[in-house]
Amino acid sequence: MPRWAGRFIVFEGLDGTGKTTQQGRAARRLRAMGFDVVETREPGGSAVGEAARQIVLNLSDLNPRAETFLFLAARAHHVHAAILPALKKGSVVLCDRFLDSTVAYQHGGHGLPLAAIDSMNKFAANGCLPDLTLLLDLDIEKAARRVQERDERKTRFEEESLAFRRRVREAYLRIAESEPDRVKIVNAALDEDAVEAQIWTHIETAIAAEDRR
C-alpha cells in the first residue's frame, strides 16, 4: 500500500452508533495536539459526493446495484479531490464511512456478490486505504432507538428493517474478524466519554506506529 505523509482514520458502524459525534471529538483532540485535521464523510466530501449523497439517501426506488455505482463514483472522486491531497500534505484525515460501509450495506445488507464489491471498492479507492478503522458496534435495537429519538428527518437507510440492520452489523463484524490489525471494535453502548476513551487509545497507537515508520 502506498504510504503518505498523513494518516487516514475511518469511523464505521450502523446509524445510531455515534460515529459523527466521536469523529468530532477525535478531531478536537488531534487539533489540540497540533495536527492538521481534515474531517469528511461518505457519501460526500466533495461537490460530486454531496450530489450523490442526496440521491442515495433520499431516492426510495433506487435499486441496490445502481446505488452501489453511485457510492463508488462518489468515492473515486472523493479520494482524488479530497482524501489523497490531504494525506500527501501530511494531514490526519478522519472520514465517516469508507470501503467497509459498501461491503456491509451492499453485500451484507442487500446480498450483492462480495467479490464484485471488493473489486470495485479497490478500483474506486485507487490504493488509498485506511491506516485505522474504528468500528463502533452496538446492538441493532438500541441503535434503531437512538435513530428514532433524533429530531430530524430520517433517511431511507435509517428506516431499514431490523433484519437488514442485523445483516449489516454481522458483515461489519466479519470484516473486523478478518482484518484485526486495521479494524478495531469499539463498544458504542457506553457513554460518550467512555467510547471516546476507547477510540483515543486506538488512535494514539496508530499515530505512534506511523511515527516509528
Side-chain angles (χ1 to χ4, degrees), residues 129-146:
L129 303 176
D131 298 296
L132 170 67
T133 299
L134 298 156
L135 173 57
L136 277 68
D137 183 52
L138 183 64
D139 175 83
I140 59 169
E141 286 86 0
K142 187 167 185 177
R145 285 197 300 271
R146 287 184 180 179

Side-chain angles (χ1 to χ4, degrees), residues 4 19 22 26 29 40 45 51-52 62 71-72 74 91 95 111 114 135 139 149 155 157 173 175 180 184 187 189:
W4 316 108
K19 295 183 288 66
Q22 292 300 331
R29 291 185 73 159
T40 189
L62 190 65
F71 277 127
L72 293 165
S91 300
C95 190
L114 179 58
L135 173 57
D139 175 83
E149 289 167 359
T155 69
F157 284 102
L173 292 174
I175 294 169
K184 305 300 181 183
N187 181 359

